[in-house]
Each structure stands twice: as structure tokens, then as C-alpha cells.
Amino acid sequence: MVTNIIEGNPTKKFFIEMITRDISIEDAIIDLLDNSIDGANRINPSNYSGLNIYLTVNKDYFEIKDNCGGFSIDTAKRYAFRFGRPEDAPKGNGTVGRFGIGMKRSLFKIGKNFIVESQSKQDAFKVEVDVDDWSKKVRTIKNEDGTSDIIDDWSFTYIEIPNTGKADGTSISITNLNSEVGNLFADEGFLTTLADNIQKLLNFSLQKGLTIHLNGKPLSGKRVELLLSNNTTPYHIEGIINNVRYKLIAGLGGIGEPKLSGWYIYCNNRLVLEADTSSITGWGVQPIPKWHINYVMFRGILFLDSEETLNLPLTTTKKGIDATSEVYKAILPLMKNGMIKVFEFLKKIPQMGDEANDYRTMLWENTSKIGAVELKALNFSNAAKIFIAPPLDTDIIARKKSTVRIAYDVAKQTAEAAKEHAEAKSYKELGETTFDYYLKLEEIANEECDGIEL
């Protein structure tokens, strides 16, 4: 009998009470949303239209359900319910899960009783867990010397269920919520913050057509936009480092909210750093200056993608960048170079004196914009490493001061039909066409508008 052995086995209490402390409630919920999005990505990586996630959050109950493909019993047995990622686990295939603890950590963080049901093309099953009972579950193992030991049993029991015939997907319901969680879920302020975080962190997936409903209300992605036109082109460079594909874009954004200025970093389409102006993204590190209001229009977007998620420079909470990563250290100089190119232009705007803000406003309102999803798909190959700045034309400002901008929202389907009927090439041209039509309809096209009641 071997006697010089020191056991290093983990305990369930450590996992339930300690590992869950490393994650906030919001992040636990977004971790579960990530799992649904991973399913959507397996269905169609380029378009999530028709795929939905429904969140129900209140003081007594939490539920997340989707129609994003589900997962099989084999996946549940071999990977999904394992504590940690087995060495034989397949590559992440563009997911953001890294260590194999996300779903379990989130479930234990939220409550004491949970049910996981999943239906896939292969089969359907249900796992029902009382956490307090599971924490006491043990099994007996026989030793070679005939003695026996009692150890923690980390297994879960599943039952196969009939295929419902509905769309494949997964549902998770949690009751007997942990006390601090129930109190949070009853707070309208928390729900507002949760909605805001979902719309920011998962904006890329929302822009690709996924719909996330929070307590019956559909959420929309907060669009990250840069200026792009014939005379305004962002700096761009892309490549591969250590099996990580990167696409780096630096250019100009709006001036309305200074807090939107900075770098946006996506890992496998998940926003992990938003509007960052810290030293992590090079600000205040020579030769880059600290952020100043003169740089309010700066927008940088870095896309990092890898089939193997462990290659990405993600922190364990997936809300930050590991600055010590060799991949990120190799890309940071490229980010700084892009900043330098854009700053050369931005430093000239304050020299316009009183007209500087008018120029910034005019530039934003009268230049075409492009969102992050479209930017990632756009081929910049002919403009690599080049930043084309717009003209610093004060005469344009003078002309624009005598005009106003009219904006309104309509249903996209209606706007598309109107644009096609009017043979307009853009929504801007459609707006001009409809306004001209109104003037002609009122028979005032050749009259001065001042003083005329329409």
C-alpha cells in the first residue's frame, strides 16, 4: 500500500462558493448568452436572422431559452457538463468559451435548483439538479489493498426526453435563487444595466440578426461606426499571428459622446474592450499621448479571431485583454501606428479656431458611416496601412451653416421599397428625393420658405 500520497482533489464547496466569486451576475448571464450564440454560429456564421434568445429575469425565477441548435447527449456527457475542458475536446470553432467552467459557474452563481433541457438533431435530454443535494453526493471506490474510500461524486444524471418537433434549441431554468441574486433581479436599475451590457457586449451578434428578448422586450445592438467615403478612408491592416487572425481599423467616429472614443476590441465577435483610452491600448505610452478632447473623433476597432479560443488574448472574465499575450504584444505597435496616422489629422482641427466644432459636426453629419459588422467583411486590400483624411475645407462649413439636417426613422422594409421605387442609391438620396417631392406637392419649390405656412 502506498502511503506517501498527498491528495490534491478539489472540493465541490470550493467550486460552488469560491470560483463563482470571480464573476458578476451580469457576466454569468452573458456567459449563458455566449453559449446560445455559439450555437447560432454553428448554424450560420454569417447571418443569425430568425434565431432568438429569450431571457426571463425576476426575483423568483431565471430562464434562458433559444432556438440556436441545442447540443447532443454525447456533447453533454463528454464536454458540456465537465468541470474543466478535457484535452480531447474539439477546438472552439470561433467560440469564446475557454476553460469549460462557464455554464456550470453561471448556474451555481444564480441559484440552487436548475433544469437544463436541450434538443438537437441527434436527440433530446433533460438534466435536473438540486445543488444542495448534488454537493453532498458521494461514491465509494475500492483500493487495491481491499480498503475503500468515499469521494465526491461530480456526475450529473440526465434523462432522454421525446423530440418536441419544434426548432432545436436549449432552455435553462433556475429557481430557489441565491438571496443576493433574487434581490438584484427585483431591481429595475439592475435590469436596465443588464440590458445595456447585453446591447454593448453582444452588439456584433445583434447586428448580425440575432434577437435577444429581456422580459419580453427585444434588445438592439449599439452600433460602432466609422466614417467611410470617397475622401475618408480608415487606416487598415490585417494578418495572422500564432493562429490568430487580426483585422485592425483606425479612423474617425462621431463627437456626440466623448465616452465612445477609443479602441473597441472583439474576440471571436465578442466585444471584450469598449471605447478604451487606457495604456492597455497604447494611450499615454510613448509616442502616443494621453486621451484629450481633441481626439474625440478617434475610433479604433481590432478584430481577433481564432478557431482555438485559448489562442486569444482574453482574460478569464472575457471582459478584458491579457496585455502579456505574445499575440497582443505583436499587434499593439500596429495599433499605435494607426493612432499616429489618425492623430496627424485630428491635431489640425483645433487650428480652425471657432469653426473646429462646426467642422467636426459637419463632417459626421455629411459623411457616410459604416458599422463594425460591415467593416469586418469589407476588403481594404488596396488601402492597407493608409489613412485618407477628409479635406479641412472651411468654405464647406460656411455653406453648411445655412442648411439644416432632417432625420427620421421608418421601418427598414418600407424604406427599402421606397428607395427602389425612387431609384435612389442611398437612404440619404431617398431623403432628398422625398423632400423635393413634398416641396413640389405644396407648389412652393420656387418660393422663399421664410414666413410661409406649410
Side-chain angles (χ1 to χ4, degrees):
M1 178 179 177
V2 179
T3 58
N4 60 337
I5 296 295
I6 299 174
E7 294 292 344
N9 296 333
T11 64
K12 293 178 182 176
K13 183 176 181 179
F14 174 77
F15 189 93
I16 295 170
E17 296 183 5
M18 298 301 295
I19 296 296
T20 54
R21 293 187 185 185
D22 292 339
I23 189 170
S24 69
I25 297 298
E26 295 97 322
D27 290 343
I29 294 172
I30 292 173
D31 251 356
L32 296 176
L33 289 168
D34 281 335
N35 290 339
S36 294
I37 292 170
D38 290 343
N41 198 57
R42 288 191 291 270
I43 293 173
N44 185 349
S46 59
N47 190 334
Y48 298 162
S49 296
L51 300 178
N52 296 275
I53 306 173
Y54 298 89
L55 277 173
T56 301
V57 181
N58 59 52
K59 66 182 180 65
D60 300 311
Y61 183 71
F62 173 89
E63 182 183 61
I64 176 171
K65 58 182 180 179
D66 65 56
N67 64 340
C68 298
F71 58 100
S72 67
I73 292 175
D74 183 63
T75 298
K77 291 168 64 176
R78 298 178 65 186
Y79 312 116
F81 282 88
R82 293 283 297 274
F83 289 87
R85 189 180 184 189
E87 290 188 11
D88 65 343
K91 291 183 178 180
N93 293 323
T95 68
V96 290
R98 307 188 77 198
F99 305 113
I101 62 172
M103 181 180 74
K104 286 78 66 179
R105 180 169 64 172
S106 295
L107 298 177
F108 291 137
K109 180 77 175 182
I110 296 173
K112 297 292 187 183
N113 296 84
F114 61 83
I115 299 173
V116 179
E117 292 189 37
S118 194
Q119 177 176 302
S120 68
K121 288 182 173 58
Q122 292 86 357
D123 44 45
F125 70 93
K126 177 169 72 171
V127 174
E128 190 166 355
V129 177
D130 179 312
V131 175
D132 288 337
D133 288 346
W134 177 83
S135 68
K136 301 170 187 174
K137 186 178 177 183
V138 296
R139 62 188 177 91
T140 302
I141 59 169
K142 296 290 185 181
N143 299 319
E144 292 181 359
D145 62 356
T147 62
S148 60
D149 290 316
I150 297 175
I151 63 171
D152 281 335
D153 185 349
W154 290 73
S155 65
F156 298 98
T157 302
Y158 74 91
I159 60 172
E160 293 191 56
I161 57 177
N163 189 304
T164 63
K166 297 180 180 179
D168 295 338
T170 300
S171 70
I172 298 173
S173 59
I174 307 176
T175 54
N176 193 11
L177 304 182
N178 294 322
S179 59
E180 70 279 8
V181 175
N183 293 335
L184 269 179
F185 286 1
D187 184 351
E188 286 297 323
F190 168 80
L191 295 177
T192 299
T193 300
L194 175 63
D196 188 57
N197 281 337
I198 291 171
Q199 291 176 126
K200 288 189 299 185
L201 298 174
L202 305 180
N203 70 75
F204 201 93
S205 295
L206 290 165
Q207 293 292 327
K208 287 171 71 174
L210 179 71
T211 303
I212 299 176
H213 306 256
L214 176 58
N215 289 343
K217 180 183 178 181
L219 304 180
S220 58
K222 295 199 171 182
R223 189 175 169 89
V224 182
E225 294 182 314
L226 271 72
L227 300 183
L228 178 67
S229 67
N230 291 334
N231 61 2
T232 306
T233 303
Y235 169 95
H236 164 265
I237 188 170
E238 59 185 304
I240 299 176
I241 298 174
N242 293 346
N243 295 315
V244 174
R245 298 182 302 280
Y246 68 88
K247 187 167 189 173
L248 188 158
I249 302 161
L252 304 175
I255 64 170
E257 297 183 68
K259 66 180 181 180
L260 298 180
S261 175
W263 279 100
Y264 294 75
I265 300 182
Y266 293 85
C267 287
N268 282 354
N269 296 337
R270 163 78 125 81
L271 184 66
V272 297
L273 214 57
E274 178 196 24
D276 187 85
T277 55
S278 73
S279 59
I280 289 287
T281 51
W283 295 88
V285 180
Q286 287 296 329
I288 305 299
K290 290 185 177 180
W291 189 90
H292 185 275
I293 194 64
N294 289 344
Y295 305 122
V296 67
M297 294 189 77
F298 177 82
R299 297 289 188 280
I301 302 179
L302 174 62
F303 298 105
L304 299 172
D305 294 279
S306 178
E307 290 186 1
E308 177 49 76
T309 315
L310 290 170
N311 293 333
L312 297 169
L314 270 171
T315 60
T316 57
T317 60
K318 295 183 282 190
K319 287 183 69 175
I321 286 293
D322 176 9
T324 66
S325 159
E326 293 302 319
V327 169
Y328 189 70
K329 286 193 290 187
I331 293 173
L332 186 57
L334 305 178
M335 296 167 65
K336 290 183 177 180
N337 191 44
M339 296 167 82
I340 290 170
K341 301 291 185 185
V342 178
F343 289 174
E344 289 174 358
F345 165 73
L346 292 178
K347 288 176 181 177
K348 296 175 183 178
I349 297 179
Q351 299 172 17
M352 302 173 76
D354 294 340
E355 293 181 328
N357 277 336
D358 288 330
Y359 174 76
R360 293 187 184 101
T361 301
M362 179 277 301
L363 191 60
W364 176 250
E365 291 184 349
N366 294 278
T367 307
S368 299
K369 292 95 175 166
I370 184 169
V373 174
E374 296 84 3
L375 272 169
K376 188 175 184 182
L378 196 61
N379 183 3
F380 279 104
S381 59
N382 294 328
K385 299 187 180 181
I386 295 174
F387 172 68
I388 299 176
L392 286 166
D393 189 344
T394 54
D395 290 337
I396 293 177
I397 299 170
R399 291 195 297 273
K400 292 297 178 183
K401 282 184 176 180
S402 64
T403 67
V404 295
R405 182 173 182 269
I406 300 173
Y408 51 90
D409 294 322
V410 299
K412 185 175 181 180
Q413 185 176 359
T414 304
E416 285 291 338
K419 187 170 70 170
E420 182 178 353
H421 185 268
E423 298 182 351
K425 296 180 180 178
S426 64
Y427 291 136
K428 179 182 177 183
E429 184 180 339
L430 174 62
E432 293 168 346
T433 301
T434 54
F435 189 75
D436 288 343
Y437 177 77
Y438 171 77
L439 292 178
K440 291 174 183 177
L441 193 66
E442 293 293 323
E443 297 181 345
I444 60 171
N446 297 318
E447 299 180 22
E448 292 291 333
C449 291
D450 291 342
I452 295 179
E453 294 186 6
L454 303 182

